[in-house]
């Protein structure tokens, strides 16, 4: 697997390809990332996986320091899923001395949920994604529904900046027991891993209540918080929102996004599902 470190090399590598599929990641690759790489492989001549633990999207220095870094293994896994090259720049390559440009997406999609919990997070995401899409000259870029809000922010910035990249959403990849795959799962102790299963259980419980005819968002939130509480979890947020605008829904008469953030031990996990009302 070829690993390249500079934006100039990335531009050179992508110049001759008819189509370029980019999979932006922060490394510690797992099956969820690899599902994106396979989707990219199926649709593009050149497949690039970027591995960059982007410091500007971490509001908690301890979280940044604890983020797993497994580059050699990442390169092998990316190759096994069909990637052609890994772009793994260091922070100085992405943010050289004097770097002063930031991409800021306004409105509810950056202000609520993760935006409210993690100040500055989406500025970091939007800036690095814009830089990566431009550097790779990406025809398509692949993002997971696991980070539903991030996907909306990226779709917004691509539309607003008229970047010539198609954003391809990919479904959340889950372990067989339902836990959404995440690089952070590695940091869960065995007992905490079992506790974390309350998250997909809570999403499934909300889906059942909704399918049975409940239309009050508050009732769905109670269902979710109840399942989490049984496992001893106190979520940072449980939200029932419009899947496109992230505006809170009071009644549920069309599909909604149910989003959860909670700490399990000292590991912060997020998950979400689109829930469809009865007859919807
Ligand atoms: P990350 O390395 O966590 O920044 O994630 C890189 C990309 O992989 C993002 O588009 C994520 O949404 C996506 N991703 C992470 N985990 C999953 C998963 N379990 N299923 C699908 N996509 C995922």
């Amino acid at each position: 697997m070829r690993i390249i470190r500079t934006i100039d090399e990335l531009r050179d590598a992508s110049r001759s390809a008819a189509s370029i599929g980019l999979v932006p990641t922060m490394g510690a690759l797992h099956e969820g990332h690899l599902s994106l790489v396979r989707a990219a492989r199926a649709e593009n001549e050149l497949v690039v996986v970027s591995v960059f633990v982007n410091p500007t999207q971490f509001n908690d220095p301890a979280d940044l320091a604890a983020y797993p870094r497994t580059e050699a293994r990442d390169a092998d896994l990316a190759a096994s899923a069909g990637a052609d090259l890994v772009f793994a720049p260091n922070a100085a390559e992405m943010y050289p001395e004097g770097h002063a440009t930031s991409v800021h997406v306004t409105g509810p999609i950056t202000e609520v949920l993760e935006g409210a919990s993690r100040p500055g997070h989406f500025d970091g995401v939007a800036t690095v994604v814009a830089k990566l899409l431009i550097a790779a000259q990406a025809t398509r870029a692949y993002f997971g529904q696991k980070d539903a809000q991030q996907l909306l922010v990226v779709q917004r910035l691509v539309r607003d900046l008229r970047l010539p990249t198609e954003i391809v959403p990919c479904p959340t990849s889950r372990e067989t027991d339902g836990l959404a795959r995440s690089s952070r799962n590695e940091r869960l102790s065995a007992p905490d891993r079992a506790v974390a299963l309350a998250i997909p259980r809570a999403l499934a419980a909300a889906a059942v209540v909704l399918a049975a005819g409940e239309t009050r968002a508050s009732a769905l939130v109670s269902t979710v918080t109840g399942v989490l509480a049984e496992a001893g979890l106190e979520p940072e947020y449980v939200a029932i929102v419009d899947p496109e605008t992230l505006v809170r829904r009071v009644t549920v008469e069309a599909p909604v996004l149910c989003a959860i953030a909670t700490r399990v031990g000292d590991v912060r996990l997020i998950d979400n599902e689109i829930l469809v009302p009865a007859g919807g």
Side-chain angles (χ1 to χ4, degrees):
M1 166 58 65
R2 187 170 161 219
I3 301 182
I4 59 177
R5 306 275 174 201
T6 69
I7 289 174
D8 285 344
E9 285 172 288
L10 180 57
R11 282 186 195 283
D12 284 347
S14 47
R15 195 161 285 134
S16 54
S19 60
I20 300 135
L22 174 68
V23 181
T25 80
M26 297 204 299
L29 298 189
H30 52 66
E31 181 54 35
H33 298 112
L34 300 186
S35 66
L36 274 54
V37 177
R38 287 189 206 102
R41 176 72 285 160
E43 296 179 326
N44 301 279
E45 184 186 316
L46 182 76
V47 174
V48 180
V49 175
S50 64
V51 172
F52 180 57
V53 183
N54 177 31
T56 65
Q57 72 188 68
F58 284 81
N59 49 316
D60 176 357
D63 192 24
L64 173 61
Y67 205 85
R69 288 163 172 85
T70 57
E71 187 184 284
R73 185 169 170 274
D74 290 346
D76 289 347
L77 286 172
S80 74
D84 297 302
L85 54 93
V86 166
F87 174 54
N90 63 21
E93 176 67 12
M94 294 306 284
Y95 303 108
E97 183 78 25
H99 187 282
T101 300
S102 172
V103 177
H104 176 66
V105 177
T106 59
I109 62 165
T110 56
E111 287 163 8
V112 302
L113 309 180
E114 291 300 285
S117 291
R118 306 179 66 187
H121 171 67
F122 286 118
D123 287 349
V125 168
T127 303
V128 81
V129 169
K131 288 178 69 106
L132 288 169
L133 297 184
I134 293 166
Q137 301 169 73
T139 314
R140 301 181 188 85
Y142 296 79
F143 289 86
Q145 181 69 29
K146 157 81 168 45
D147 300 282
Q149 189 172 10
Q150 170 172 279
L151 175 58
L152 290 173
V153 171
V154 170
Q155 286 172 325
R156 185 76 257 163
L157 86 87
V158 163
R159 278 201 295 274
D160 290 352
L161 297 178
R162 292 285 300 269
L163 298 180
T165 303
E166 179 193 345
I167 301 303
V168 183
C170 300
T172 300
S173 164
R174 296 181 180 278
E175 306 281 354
T176 45
D177 58 13
L179 187 65
R181 292 192 163 94
S182 166
S183 308
R184 292 191 158 90
N185 293 352
E186 288 177 27
R187 290 171 45 211
L188 294 169
S189 66
D192 282 349
R193 169 105 187 27
V195 168
L197 289 178
I199 302 168
R201 239 184 359 254
L203 291 168
V208 168
V209 169
L210 186 61
E214 180 60 73
T215 56
R216 292 167 302 156
S218 59
L220 299 178
V221 170
S222 298
T223 299
V224 170
T225 49
V227 174
L228 296 176
E230 277 168 29
L233 297 177
E234 285 178 32
E236 247 172 60
Y237 62 75
V238 172
I240 303 289
V241 293
D242 182 284
E244 300 298 323
T245 63
L246 301 186
V247 170
R248 294 236 174 210
R249 286 270 183 78
V250 177
T251 55
V252 181
E253 275 135 13
V256 286
L257 182 75
C258 179
I260 298 174
T262 186
R263 276 185 193 276
V264 181
D266 62 357
V267 182
R268 186 175 185 279
L269 298 179
I270 60 171
D271 198 355
N272 69 83
E273 281 286 0
I274 301 279
L275 304 182
V276 181

